[in-house]
Amino acid sequence: MSEKTTAFEKAVKDYYANPNDSVLFEAANELCSKMKLAEKLRMLSGRQFFTRNGFDLITKRQKYNCRPCLSGGVKRLGIPAVAFSDGPRGVVMGNSTCFPVSMSRGASFDDELEYEIGSAIADEVAAQGGNYFAGICINLLRNPRWGRAQETYGEDPFLLGKMGAALTRAVQDKGVIACPKHYAVNSIENIRFDVNVLSEDKTLHEVYLPHFKACIDAGAMSIMGAYNLFRGEHCCESKYLLKDVLRGEWGFTGFTISDFLMGVRNAPGALKAGLDIEMPQLMHYATLPLDLKLKRVSVEDINNSVESILRGLIKITPRLKYPGKSVVACKKHTELAKRAALEGTVLLKNNGILPLAESERVAVIGRYADKINVGDHGSSSVFAPYTVTPYQGLCNAFGKENVVLCEGTEFVAMESEIAKCGAVIVCVGSDYKQEGENLANFSKSDETTEKAMGGDRYSLRIPENEVELIHKACAAFDNVIVNIIGGSAYVIEEWKDEAGAILHSFYSGMEGGNALAELISGKANPCGHLPFTMAKNEDDYPDFLFPSAKTRDITYGYYHGYTLLDKENKKAAYPFGFGLSYTDFKYDNISANDCGETVEISLKIKNTGEYDGKTVVQVYAGAEGDHPVKLLKGFKKIFVKAGECSEASVIIDKKDLMFYNPDTKKWYPEDEYTFFVGQNSENTKAVKI
């Protein structure tokens, strides 16, 4: 080894000369053997966290993670620090591109688009000094009351896995370590530190873990533990999750980190269970030198964690290229953000009012008509250099002189002016005060006051004053379009029949206003599909716990979302996978072919309308036995020109058709499967194989 080659560089060279797991383990072991005990202990915790936060001059808000949060690093040996950046709607550092929230991107049903977004995010992480992205949030949406629903991709494990895996591959292909989170069964916010989730093995492996495994199979070299307890143990101290499943069953070779500040409660318990890095500061792990002396932990325990971290750094970071800061929020990325908003917006209803003529005079009213509203103010908050509101986007599309703005929930003073418009767009829903990461929210109801600050949603309905606004607008004006802004599902039975058209635009990012205008004007055709079930009643979803509950134990069952409605023979208001277009599609000639390790679903798609458009072919599978009626197992977004036909195929991996036997702890196939092919979970045609 020359004087100019560090020990870390040698380890990297050894691995890339023959890149396989055996060499990776040997390289990390050899590098670890050169480290002093103090250097090893330094690798196991974050540092300088509180100096990594600051104040944003654009938004005039305090800012978390404005610089990379560092952990580890040994200069003597050339070992880089883990330089953490959060997400997932973009890079929280600096003034980065604010993409639509993950739920909106889940609604795109487009994992190729998610790969593009991941590549852009990785560039912006690297440009600002990071080498680690913890924005792959893949917790399952069990009940839409969950405050952080916006950070994930939906209610279905397969959809979560496909989107999370795409983001994982994209980020790591650019040399940034990808971190899926929060592992595992994390889907309640207000009592996230002490809720204890109970779940049977079959449910756990088939419903709550497959998407994490998909990201590990995609190569993820890190994973973040959750705050909540699982079967009486904090997730960051669960040997079953961190060692038995993650490393034992899945063969994970990377490293684990805790959720911030409250993730670890007991240092020896966490380290021995397989928790490698305590983030974001040295707290409980400060006792490790004493724990070592008292033999509560061993040098082997410490080496195991250090080598896990080194494997992640050796395998991924050599690919890292540090682009100039000009890439941050560059035009290419902001245009990608708009495209993501276009692809993810869901058209729920249209009585023919949409699209509007570009010469139309329109009114936009409501609390969010001209308000920056891109998601919660928690750890996923992105401080974009600008944000286009619905009003601003409509002005860009229709001309400012043709757009009437009425903010708030009263329009009496402007009724005559609004009445002259050809259409009225009502913007309703939620913001960071009603839902999001729980930042000192001690309220017992959904509030819109300045004191409110995120957390779970007590009600799944639009706030009462906004529902009243919808009623009044629909009574006073023709051609009312309701634009729902929010993180997940709402119950809208009391007003949906009154509106002429309904859009769900989620939190659509910094270019969301322009995207909304392009969809309303017909410049773009809606093609988003719901990544969750919109039920008719709040009690159609599984049970949920709030702080007032007498217990902190909750059982996560086998059924939720569309699988629960299928089991109970109920219809949704809008089923999972639902999404309208300005055109119609007809699916014909559906067939299923056994291709050995895969099943190929083939069909012909005809665009029977007058607009070019995209449809999402959804393939579900069901089998006899104690299983859901159907489960999503494949999807593909297809563009078809007006009046034309296109042939399409969706490939199903037979591994995705397996079921888990809790007695043998093995996966098995059923003898016969029925495949359901359609445009949403309720509108399908069946074919057996």
Side-chain angles (χ1 to χ4, degrees):
M1 185 169 66
S2 70
E3 292 182 0
K4 294 183 179 180
T5 302
T6 66
F8 179 75
E9 289 170 337
K10 179 182 181 301
V12 168
K13 184 178 180 181
D14 289 346
Y15 170 67
Y16 275 89
N18 187 13
N20 61 66
D21 282 351
S22 177
V23 175
L24 181 63
F25 273 75
E26 290 174 9
N29 178 266
E30 182 179 348
L31 184 55
C32 181
S33 70
K34 292 178 170 59
M35 298 172 66
K36 301 173 184 178
L37 178 60
E39 292 170 336
K40 294 176 183 178
L41 291 171
R42 178 183 170 88
M43 295 290 291
L44 304 184
S45 62
R47 54 188 169 88
Q48 303 175 338
F49 170 63
F50 296 104
T51 65
R52 300 273 134 182
N53 304 316
F55 186 79
D56 183 69
L57 295 176
I58 292 177
T59 60
K60 304 295 191 294
R61 283 171 45 203
Q62 282 298 124
K63 187 172 185 182
Y64 146 81
N65 195 184
C66 57
R67 290 177 292 280
C69 296
L70 303 178
S71 66
V74 181
K75 188 175 182 179
R76 179 179 69 88
L77 300 174
I79 300 171
V82 173
F84 174 108
S85 178
D86 222 326
R89 72 184 102 135
V91 180
V92 303
M93 299 187 295
N95 297 114
S96 304
T97 305
C98 182
F99 292 95
V101 293
S102 298
M103 192 65 79
S104 172
R105 285 146 42 204
S108 76
F109 277 75
D110 191 339
D111 51 321
E112 293 179 2
L113 174 61
E114 188 66 0
Y115 185 94
E116 289 186 58
I117 292 170
S119 294
I121 286 173
D123 281 343
E124 297 197 11
V125 168
Q128 297 175 85
N131 64 10
Y132 184 103
F133 180 63
I136 303 166
C137 185
I138 51 171
N139 292 117
L140 182 140
L141 180 63
R142 177 180 168 273
N143 187 311
R145 288 181 170 86
W146 180 35
R148 294 179 77 170
Q150 63 192 269
E151 293 187 45
T152 191
Y153 296 107
E155 73 178 39
D156 182 83
F158 183 82
L159 176 62
L160 286 166
K162 289 286 284 186
M163 300 299 283
L167 189 57
T168 295
R169 286 193 299 271
V171 168
Q172 293 196 164
D173 283 350
K174 287 294 185 81
V176 173
I177 296 171
C179 175
K181 65 181 185 182
H182 308 84
Y183 181 69
V185 291
N186 178 280
S187 59
I188 293 178
E189 183 63 12
N190 288 4
I191 53 174
R192 56 182 171 167
F193 298 120
D194 57 355
V195 62
N196 179 36
V197 176
L198 307 172
S199 187
E200 294 180 350
D201 280 356
K202 179 177 173 65
T203 299
L204 182 71
H205 283 80
E206 291 187 21
V207 181
Y208 291 95
L209 294 186
H211 32 293
F212 284 99
K213 185 177 185 299
C215 290
I216 301 305
D217 290 345
M221 286 303 287
S222 189
I223 197 165
M224 179 189 287
Y227 283 132
N228 55 278
L229 291 84
F230 173 66
R231 296 177 181 169
E233 293 182 313
H234 283 279
C235 288
C236 290
E237 298 168 14
S238 170
K239 175 180 174 294
Y240 178 73
L241 290 176
L242 298 176
K243 280 192 174 178
D244 297 351
V245 174
L246 184 62
R247 298 191 187 278
E249 294 184 23
W250 299 349
F252 176 63
T253 59
F255 63 98
T256 58
I257 71 169
S258 74
D259 207 337
F260 278 30
L261 296 174
M262 295 285 286
V264 174
R265 308 300 179 89
N266 177 277
L271 187 71
K272 292 180 78 67
L275 195 283
D276 301 319
I277 301 179
E278 179 186 27
M279 289 293 286
Q281 280 283 144
L282 179 63
M283 294 175 64
H284 292 280
Y285 273 21
T287 70
L288 287 178
L290 178 60
D291 294 325
L292 191 60
K293 287 182 180 180
L294 297 177
K295 298 184 178 181
R296 289 192 288 246
V297 300
S298 66
V299 172
E300 183 182 5
D301 294 326
I302 292 170
N303 287 348
N304 285 341
S305 285
V306 170
E307 290 179 27
S308 295
I309 300 164
L310 293 175
R311 287 194 295 271
L313 291 168
I314 291 168
K315 185 173 183 178
I316 304 301
T317 55
R319 307 172 191 168
L320 187 61
K321 302 289 189 297
Y322 289 97
K325 285 197 174 182
S326 61
V327 74
V328 178
C330 64
K331 185 176 181 181
K332 179 181 177 181
H333 291 179
T334 59
E335 287 178 349
L336 180 61
K338 184 174 78 170
R339 180 151 62 93
L342 291 170
E343 295 288 328
T345 299
V346 181
L347 179 62
L348 294 173
K349 178 182 178 181
N350 186 19
N351 66 1
I353 179 177
L354 291 175
L356 302 177
E358 289 190 10
S359 59
E360 193 71 80
R361 181 175 172 82
V362 299
V364 56
I365 68 176
R367 192 151 57 102
Y368 305 118
D370 193 30
K371 179 180 179 180
I372 293 176
N373 188 19
V374 293
D376 84 339
H377 284 188
S379 60
S380 68
S381 186
V382 174
F383 292 68
Y386 69 87
T387 300
V388 181
T389 68
Y391 169 67
Q392 292 167 349
L394 291 165
C395 288
N396 292 338
F398 292 90
K400 189 173 183 179
E401 68 280 5
N402 292 321
V403 183
V404 175
L405 172 65
C406 179
E407 298 183 81
T409 55
E410 290 292 339
F411 58 79
V412 175
M414 300 182 66
E415 185 168 353
S416 60
E417 188 175 0
I418 295 171
K420 298 175 184 177
C421 296
V424 180
I425 302 154
V426 186
C427 295
V428 298
S430 303
D431 61 18
Y432 71 94
K433 296 174 185 176
Q434 285 89 57
E435 62 177 357
E437 187 166 5
N438 187 353
L439 303 173
N441 180 4
F442 303 108
S443 64
K444 295 183 179 180
S445 63
D446 295 319
E447 295 185 27
T448 58
T449 65
E450 291 301 320
K451 294 181 180 179
M453 202 60 169
D456 297 318
R457 293 161 57 197
Y458 283 81
S459 172
L460 295 181
R461 298 176 186 274
I462 303 293
E464 290 183 8
N465 59 347
E466 295 185 20
V467 171
E468 186 63 24
L469 173 65
I470 294 170
H471 287 318
K472 289 180 179 178
C474 291
F477 312 116
D478 295 327
N479 297 338
V480 172
I481 303 158
V482 178
N483 176 41
I484 301 173
I485 301 168
S488 63
Y490 294 85
V491 174
I492 62 174
E493 294 302 287
E494 69 267 41
W495 58 265
K496 71 176 186 180
D497 291 339
E498 300 172 30
I502 305 171
L503 290 158
H504 197 323
S505 61
F506 303 93
Y507 297 113
S508 52
M510 63 189 294
E511 281 285 335
N514 284 331
L516 177 68
E518 288 192 11
L519 290 166
I520 285 174
S521 67
K523 186 175 180 180
N525 193 345
C527 59
H529 289 249
L530 289 177
F532 47 66
T533 300
M534 288 185 67
K536 294 181 179 180
N537 301 292
E538 295 192 23
D539 58 8
D540 286 341
Y541 297 105
D543 58 333
F544 198 82
L545 285 186
F546 289 101
S548 59
K550 294 180 180 179
T551 181
R552 288 295 182 266
D553 292 347
I554 185 169
T555 299
Y556 283 8
Y558 192 46
Y559 297 92
H560 73 284
Y562 69 88
T563 66
L564 181 60
L565 292 191
D566 280 348
K567 179 179 174 61
E568 296 179 348
N569 199 27
K570 291 181 178 179
K571 293 289 185 182
Y574 299 98
F576 175 85
F578 181 87
L580 298 176
S581 169
Y582 295 149
T583 191
D584 294 304
F585 300 95
K586 184 179 180 182
Y587 291 6
D588 275 324
N589 298 345
I590 299 171
S591 64
N593 301 298
D594 190 334
C595 301
E597 295 182 354
T598 62
V599 175
E600 181 180 19
I601 306 297
S602 301
L603 68 156
K604 182 178 288 186
I605 304 167
K606 183 173 183 179
N607 182 336
T608 60
E610 299 177 356
Y611 295 87
D612 297 347
K614 295 178 182 178
T615 180
V616 175
V617 179
Q618 299 164 43
V619 180
Y620 301 80
E624 293 296 324
D626 183 19
H627 312 301
V629 173
K630 66 176 88 73
L631 289 166
L632 184 69
K633 295 300 178 184
F635 60 84
K636 181 177 284 189
K637 203 163 199 175
I638 305 292
F639 172 78
V640 187
K641 289 186 175 182
E644 294 189 4
C645 291
S646 177
E647 293 185 352
S649 63
V650 179
I651 306 299
I652 311 298
D653 191 325
K654 286 187 178 178
K655 291 180 181 178
D656 292 327
L657 301 176
M658 307 277 269
F659 298 102
Y660 187 77
N661 185 323
D663 296 325
T664 63
K665 300 187 184 304
K666 293 182 179 180
W667 294 82
Y668 69 96
E670 292 289 5
D671 294 331
E672 184 180 70
Y673 289 85
T674 300
F675 291 92
F676 303 87
V677 184
Q679 299 180 59
N680 62 67
S681 63
E682 289 185 3
N683 178 20
T684 60
K685 295 180 180 179
V687 57
K688 286 193 175 185
I689 189 169

